[in-house]
Amino acid sequence: MAPTPLLGSRTLDRQTARTLPPGPRWPTLAQTVLFASHRRTFFPRMRAKYGDVFTIRLVPSSRVCVVLSRPDHIREVFGSPPAVMHAGEGNMVLEPIMGSHSLLLLDDEDHVRMRRQLMPAFSGQALRGYAGMVHELARADVAKWPVGTPFKVHERMRNLTLEIILQVIFGVTDTDRLNMLRPLLDKIVSVSPVIMLGGFYPALLRIRPWRTYLTTQRQVDEILYDEIARRRGNLAGRNDVLSRLLAAGNWTDEELRDQLVTLLLAGHETTATALAWTFHELARRPEELAFGQRAADADADDELEAIVKEAMRLHPVVYQVGRRLTETADVAGYRLPRGTTIMAAIGLVHRDGEHFPMPMDFRPHRFLSDDPPAPGTWIPFGGGARRCIGAGFSLMEGTEILRAALAAYDFEAPDPKPEPAQAKNVTLVPRRGSVVRVTPR
């Protein structure tokens, strides 16, 4: 099926333009720069000026993006037939990196088939099987943390979540192969927005730095394809994600490779960043730190998970998710034409006082009360048929890492001021790396 053409400068007529939600008339490049680097302040300002629904224009082709900030409007999008709201087409910028078979890039029957094959590896039973491995890796890493000396916990979290992906998801335990993969995968994960432009402008992939990135990618692919070949027919006693996928589905090597790279990119930086924000808040708040330590000592998973959830609410790692309309549709009270990009602004919902009283406060207990946040207001993993398939794994991973760290250390922040967020690729990370100091309990 041919992709849906973007609604933009070449396909938007004046009459249709008048019916779109209001928005800034600044040059497309200016809006793109603000969106790419300052979305956390850009979106709230646009909402304050234009209302709950507004339009921005981004490269390429001055594409029309309608931004939604109300849960009821976002539910319309998440609840719409996937054939009308294509998420895969909204992510095509990622194709040179993740591959054409990536779950994030597929739509319609292809997405349903691939998701069905992936589900057994992320079932509740499977997650319980991974938890022990995650906890042991977390305990071993936490034991090496510098005591009494400030360090950037975000960097530590990136290293730890990468190790978890290598051993728990990829199933690689050979020391030599781990040493070979770590630096290569770190380069893959650190993809910049400049590299991602190759998804819109394929000609760029023939020159540096895009060509250099693809060279690294080919080196990783060679190792992954070799690992897949070794694993086929040799699954006895293995319960890593790759082995479960091979056992549960009928995969080509290319399909498996694309899913593994997707899990690497979607599940590495996001979880590491969520945990960095979590430790940043706990180190600044002695009462919440003590609450977390009691939860770790008592193995109170719900309470540990609530701490991670609140960090994800206050500091959404992914600020928005997109869909592309494959046909004209009514959304948020507007008749929007085919090709429109719809953006559900997770960050605007999470900091709305209507849904979260005292939204700027870090209050994990809001997820444990008799009146928890309403459905559709906490959406760090998206929603509907396209909700992140790794959501359960991410929360389990965060809970286990938090348990290991809080059982071992007291935390304090050398600088108690809130740390600003900085855009990195599609994520919002702590600008200073979330510096903390730990001492043994």
Side-chain angles (χ1 to χ4, degrees), residues 121-153:
F122 295 96
S123 67
Q125 180 181 355
L127 292 179
R128 288 188 290 274
Y130 307 140
M133 289 190 286
V134 172
H135 185 69
E136 288 307 310
L137 288 170
R139 281 209 314 172
D141 186 83
V142 163
K144 302 173 189 173
W145 287 7
V147 172
T149 303
F151 66 94
K152 295 179 179 180
V153 75

Side-chain angles (χ1 to χ4, degrees), residues 41-320:
T41 53
F42 177 46
F43 272 24
R45 288 175 181 172
M46 294 302 97
R47 182 188 191 187
K49 184 172 184 178
Y50 298 107
D52 294 328
V53 186
F54 56 89
T55 302
I56 60 175
R57 287 173 171 80
L58 306 175
V59 298
S61 304
S62 193
R63 59 186 171 120
V64 172
C65 301
V66 173
V67 180
L68 310 179
S69 63
R70 283 176 47 182
D72 55 331
H73 292 159
I74 292 173
R75 274 194 293 271
E76 290 179 28
V77 173
F78 289 165
S80 294
V84 177
M85 301 274 186
H86 271 186
E89 288 190 338
N91 293 325
M92 291 310 292
V93 67
L94 301 173
E95 183 172 356
I97 302 164
M98 293 185 173
S100 60
H101 302 290
S102 167
L103 186 68
L104 293 181
L105 274 67
L106 297 176
D107 287 303
D108 301 327
E109 294 85 0
D110 289 336
H111 177 264
V112 172
R113 176 181 63 85
M114 197 66 71
R115 191 177 179 98
R116 186 181 296 122
Q117 290 194 167
L118 283 163
M119 282 301 293
F122 295 96
S123 67
Q125 180 181 355
L127 292 179
R128 288 188 290 274
Y130 307 140
M133 289 190 286
V134 172
H135 185 69
E136 288 307 310
L137 288 170
R139 281 209 314 172
D141 186 83
V142 163
K144 302 173 189 173
W145 287 7
V147 172
T149 303
F151 66 94
K152 295 179 179 180
V153 75
H154 187 212
E155 187 175 312
R156 287 278 174 175
M157 290 298 100
R158 292 184 76 249
N159 291 337
L160 175 53
T161 56
L162 178 59
E163 199 67 23
I164 288 169
I165 282 175
L166 282 168
Q167 297 197 41
V168 179
I169 294 185
F170 290 4
V172 178
T173 55
D174 177 80
T175 302
D176 291 339
R177 183 154 291 204
L178 285 171
N179 291 336
M180 191 185 308
L181 269 172
R182 284 190 194 100
L184 292 173
L185 290 179
D186 192 57
K187 291 178 182 177
I188 293 290
V189 168
S190 301
V191 57
S192 72
V194 172
I195 296 296
M196 292 170 69
L197 283 175
F200 288 132
Y201 306 104
L204 292 174
L205 301 176
R206 296 194 293 269
I207 60 176
R208 298 175 65 183
W210 294 271
R211 189 177 62 196
T212 303
Y213 183 86
L214 291 181
T215 298
T216 302
Q217 191 179 71
R218 281 192 290 272
Q219 291 175 294
V220 170
D221 287 351
E222 184 178 339
I223 298 172
L224 290 183
Y225 283 131
D226 183 61
E227 194 69 31
I228 291 168
R230 292 186 185 191
R231 201 70 55 84
R232 289 189 184 276
N234 186 29
L235 303 178
R238 304 193 65 118
N239 66 344
D240 53 83
V241 172
L242 172 56
S243 297
R244 287 178 184 269
L245 292 179
L246 281 166
N250 182 23
W251 303 87
T252 66
D253 287 357
E254 291 75 16
E255 288 174 336
L256 267 178
R257 176 267 176 207
D258 291 356
Q259 303 318 320
L260 290 174
V261 173
T262 299
L263 292 170
L264 168 69
L265 291 170
H268 171 58
E269 185 69 53
T270 50
T271 303
T273 301
L275 284 164
W277 284 120
T278 303
F279 287 118
H280 170 67
E281 293 297 340
L282 292 176
R284 297 170 53 240
R285 303 173 186 274
E287 289 186 5
E288 299 300 347
L289 173 62
F291 166 70
Q293 289 172 327
R294 290 193 298 272
D297 295 342
D299 286 332
D301 287 8
D302 288 348
E303 295 178 359
L304 292 171
E305 185 176 288
I307 294 171
V308 178
K309 283 183 172 181
E310 177 65 349
M312 289 180 169
R313 181 203 67 81
L314 186 58
H315 302 282
V317 178
V318 176
Y319 200 82
Q320 80 294 319

Side-chain angles (χ1 to χ4, degrees), residues 360-374:
M360 304 308 291
D361 285 359
F362 182 75
R363 301 174 61 194
H365 284 83
R366 70 174 86 237
F367 289 95
L368 300 168
S369 71
D370 294 332
D371 185 25

